[in-house]
């Protein structure tokens, strides 16, 4: 006897399962994409950093930040500015994303109102008051106190630097008014030229010692650095100032420059950003600040800076966490962009949880409906046959019977080719039994009467 080929039967229809899952998968994917792009966007690859004047420490540090962030594909556009006050205004106006700002330039309430946050204090930038040892007429200038500046020609720098405001406060606590001096507002480089030429008697900087002009003036014969003997008192009267000491020989040990310790007063340079700066960039800038400012210096010990202290501007939450716990866990082992990708996946997980749970209740009924619909649609054909049976007249009983039986045979043949999982085979066998039930009705109701057969 010839063996019939065995058909392969399955418990689950993968095709139907995929079709049932497809709408849910599309919705979940769309939600994930929206959550990934809109809810928590990727950090920008371009950021504007407001620095300072030409040849200033701010400008030099800006170059270092740019070089470090370039390793992670972030372009730091450095924009020169007069200084701290101007940098603050640029942040407020949206013309910069991040900037160097000197302590004392604003208050905590003003910073919060303007949407500014601190990424930490970076270094102390002493008030450098450089004076000529002799005036233009060759007379010796023996200035031992701030009150002795009365009548001298002193450059305070442009208004946007913050130095004029700071030094006016220094004058005020000494009982002096700015108009008791002959002040000018040249930028650092031209002011230095004027000082060396003898056109002015002194100039005021507030900068880190790394600034090239500071380094040069500290070693220039005929130029003397003012010693703030009352530095501790200044720090008590003006809380944003600290007392620092320029150690003997720190400039040049071989030539013993300076020849003695010099007391200075110093505000603190702070890295300030707009509150909407991307959190990932906050981490990058704090990491760069640690690399640039974390070592020892003329006025700091190892690890003293950067720091969340010494700033009146509220510290950004991400920056405070970095100072407390160190770099984010993933950034310790992965590249910045890969770590940021995984860090942002939690948004996708939330989107998945919000959608998968309710949508998962739709998939099983949809799958069952797809399977059973293959069987149920034939019941419409059976109903059509039954309606034709009800409408069949006695005149053409034989033709109607033959036609309806043919239609039933055709339906049965087609039903026999339906492929459904074994778990739903009961519906298929139920349909076949109902086809046979209708066939018996046709045969009974359209049976040829015995009298007609005898005739």
């Amino acid at each position: 006897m010839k063996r019939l080929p065995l058909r392969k039967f399955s418990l689950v229809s993968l095709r139907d399962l995929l079709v049932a899952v497809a709408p849910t998968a599309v919705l979940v994917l769309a939600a994930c994409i929206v959550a990934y792009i809109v809810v928590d966007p990727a950090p920008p690859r371009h950021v504007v950093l407001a620095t300072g004047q030409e040849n200033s420490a701010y400008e030099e540090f800006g170059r270092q930040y740019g070089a470090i962030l370039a390793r992670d594909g972030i372009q730091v556009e450095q924009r020169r500015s007069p200084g701290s006050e101007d940098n603050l205004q640029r942040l407020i106006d949206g013309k910069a994303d991040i900037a160097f700002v000197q302590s004392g330039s604003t208050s905590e309430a003003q910073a919060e109102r303007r949407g500014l946050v601190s990424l930490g204090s970076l270094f102390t930038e002493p008030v450098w008051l450089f004076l000529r040892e002799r005036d233009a007429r060759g007379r010796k200038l023996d200035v031992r106190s701030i009150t002795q500046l009365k009548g001298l020609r002193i450059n305070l720098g442009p208004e946007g630097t913050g130095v004029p405001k700071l030094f006016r406060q220094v004058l005020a606590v000494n009982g002096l008014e700015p108009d008791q001096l002959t002040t000018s507002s040249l930028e650092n480089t031209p002011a230095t030229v004027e000082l060396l030429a003898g056109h002015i008697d002194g100039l005021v900087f507030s900068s880190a010692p790394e600034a090239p002009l500071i380094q040069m003036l500290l070693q220039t014969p005929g130029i003397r650095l003012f010693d703030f003997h009352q530095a501790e008192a200044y720090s008590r009267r003006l809380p944003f100032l600290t007392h620092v000491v320029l150690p003997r020989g720190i400039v040049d040990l071989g030539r013993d420059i300076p020849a003695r310790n010099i007391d200075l007063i110093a505000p603190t340079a702070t890295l300030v950003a707009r509150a909407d700066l991307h959190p990932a960039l906050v981490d990058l800038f704090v990491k760069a600040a640690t690399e640039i400012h974390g070592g020892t210096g003329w006025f700091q010990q190892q690890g003293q800076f950067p720091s969340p202290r010494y700033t009146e501007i509220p510290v950004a939450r991400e920056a405070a966490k970095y100072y407390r716990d160190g770099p984010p866990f993933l950034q310790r082992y992965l590249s910045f962009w890969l770590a940021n990708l995984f860090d942002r996946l939690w948004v996708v997980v939330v989107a998945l949880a919000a959608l998968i749970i309710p949508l998962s209740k739709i998939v099983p009924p949809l799958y069952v409906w797809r399977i059973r619909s293959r069987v149920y649609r034939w019941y419409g054909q059976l109903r059509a046959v039954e309606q034709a049976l009800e409408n069949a007249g006695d005149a053409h009983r034989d033709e109607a019977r033959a036609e309806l039986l043919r239609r039933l045979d055709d339906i049965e043949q087609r039903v026999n080719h339906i492929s459904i999982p074994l778990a739903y085979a009961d519906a298929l066998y139920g349909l076949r039994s109902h086809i046979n039930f209708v066939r018996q009705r046709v045969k009974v109701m359209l049976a040829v009467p015995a009298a007609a057969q005898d005739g």
Side-chain angles (χ1 to χ4, degrees):
M1 180 183 294
K2 184 178 179 181
R3 297 183 61 185
L4 295 175
L6 295 175
R7 295 181 63 186
K8 185 176 181 180
F9 300 101
S10 62
L11 294 176
V12 178
S13 172
L14 292 178
R15 178 175 177 274
D16 290 293
L17 184 60
L18 290 175
V19 172
V21 170
T24 299
V26 171
L27 287 173
V28 169
L29 180 61
C32 291
I33 293 174
V34 170
Y36 186 80
I37 296 176
V38 178
V39 178
D40 188 19
R45 292 181 175 270
H46 176 268
V47 63
V48 177
L49 171 64
T51 56
Q53 299 178 47
E54 184 180 7
N55 294 322
S56 66
Y58 285 172
E59 184 180 54
E60 175 58 31
F61 286 131
R63 294 192 190 99
Q64 296 181 35
Y65 277 95
I68 292 175
L69 267 72
R71 302 174 193 165
D72 293 305
I74 305 296
Q75 179 190 0
V76 178
E77 180 184 348
Q78 301 160 53
R79 293 185 182 173
R80 286 179 182 168
S81 74
S84 184
E85 294 286 337
D86 188 77
N87 286 352
L88 268 177
Q89 193 59 47
R90 293 190 185 198
L91 289 171
I92 295 167
D93 296 340
K95 296 179 180 179
D97 302 301
I98 191 166
F100 296 112
V101 175
Q102 194 177 80
S103 63
S105 299
T106 186
S107 65
E108 180 177 354
Q110 289 175 329
E112 290 181 344
R113 187 169 61 252
R114 294 169 176 177
L116 303 179
V117 293
S118 168
L119 305 192
S121 53
L122 307 177
F123 52 88
T124 54
E125 42 181 359
V127 175
W128 308 90
L129 174 55
F130 288 103
L131 298 167
R132 293 183 57 85
E133 292 183 347
R134 295 185 180 275
D135 63 14
R137 297 180 181 180
R139 294 176 300 183
K140 186 176 182 180
L141 294 175
D142 188 17
V143 178
R144 301 291 178 179
S145 69
I146 292 295
T147 56
Q148 292 178 293
L149 295 177
K150 187 182 300 183
L152 297 183
R153 298 165 299 173
I154 306 295
N155 185 78
L156 303 184
E159 288 298 328
T161 62
V163 176
K165 176 182 176 182
L166 184 154
F167 201 70
R168 289 190 190 103
Q169 292 175 282
V170 172
L171 293 175
V173 296
N174 282 276
L176 286 180
E177 295 294 334
D179 57 7
Q180 293 180 280
L181 287 69
T182 301
T183 60
S184 56
S185 56
L186 298 174
E187 292 191 357
N188 291 346
T189 300
T192 302
V193 173
E194 292 292 289
L195 179 69
L196 297 178
H199 297 156
I200 58 176
D201 300 312
L203 54 80
V204 182
F205 290 160
S206 181
S207 173
E210 288 83 358
L213 293 178
I214 301 293
Q215 293 285 328
M216 182 195 72
L217 289 173
L218 285 171
Q219 303 180 64
T220 301
I223 303 298
R224 181 173 63 87
L225 178 62
F226 181 80
D227 192 333
F228 286 85
H229 297 292
Q230 299 168 306
E232 193 62 33
Y234 280 105
S235 68
R236 305 293 176 88
R237 294 289 298 274
L238 303 173
F240 60 89
L241 295 177
T242 56
H243 173 199
V244 295
V245 177
L246 184 68
R248 176 178 178 175
I250 190 68
V251 178
D252 191 318
L253 283 169
R255 293 188 292 165
D256 194 25
I257 301 175
R260 57 185 175 80
N261 290 345
I262 298 178
D263 294 305
L264 300 174
I265 55 175
T268 304
T270 305
L271 199 58
V272 179
R274 292 173 56 86
D276 57 2
L277 183 68
H278 196 284
L281 291 182
V282 172
D283 289 334
L284 268 189
F285 269 98
V286 177
K287 179 181 177 182
T290 303
E291 182 175 340
I292 296 170
H293 310 289
T296 57
W298 285 11
F299 304 105
Q300 67 191 54
Q301 299 176 347
Q302 180 78 28
Q304 182 179 354
F305 291 102
S307 170
R309 300 180 296 164
Y310 316 117
T311 174
E312 67 274 18
I313 301 175
V315 178
R317 179 170 53 85
E318 294 80 9
K321 183 179 179 182
Y322 191 103
Y323 289 120
R324 184 180 65 252
D325 304 328
F329 177 78
L330 292 176
Q331 288 189 26
R332 301 176 191 178
Y333 307 101
L334 301 175
S335 67
F336 168 72
W337 290 103
L338 189 58
N340 181 255
L341 172 64
F342 285 119
D343 191 47
R344 293 166 61 210
L345 285 179
W346 72 268
V347 180
V348 178
V349 171
V350 171
L352 286 174
L355 284 176
I356 288 180
I357 295 175
L359 290 179
S360 62
K361 298 179 180 180
I362 300 175
V363 173
L366 183 60
Y367 173 74
V368 172
W369 176 82
R370 281 192 54 83
I371 298 296
R372 293 191 178 275
S373 65
R374 299 178 192 171
V375 175
Y376 294 156
R377 67 189 184 92
W378 293 105
Y379 280 98
Q381 299 290 336
L382 282 181
R383 288 294 299 152
V385 171
E386 286 190 307
Q387 288 177 357
L389 176 60
E390 297 293 338
N391 298 329
D394 294 337
H396 304 284
R397 214 179 264 268
D398 287 341
E399 291 83 352
R401 181 173 182 271
E403 172 61 21
L404 293 178
L405 291 176
R406 184 193 64 76
R407 289 173 63 180
L408 289 171
D409 291 341
D410 181 65
I411 292 172
E412 187 173 32
Q413 183 179 6
R414 291 175 180 271
V415 168
N416 287 337
H417 288 85
I418 295 176
S419 175
I420 62 175
L422 293 177
Y424 302 93
D426 58 334
L428 181 61
Y429 281 101
L431 174 59
R432 292 174 63 182
S433 66
H434 295 153
I435 292 172
N436 188 56
F437 171 75
V438 175
R439 182 184 286 115
Q440 295 302 320
R441 286 193 64 199
V442 170
K443 289 180 178 179
V444 170
M445 293 182 66
L446 298 180
V448 179
Q453 291 179 1
D454 294 339

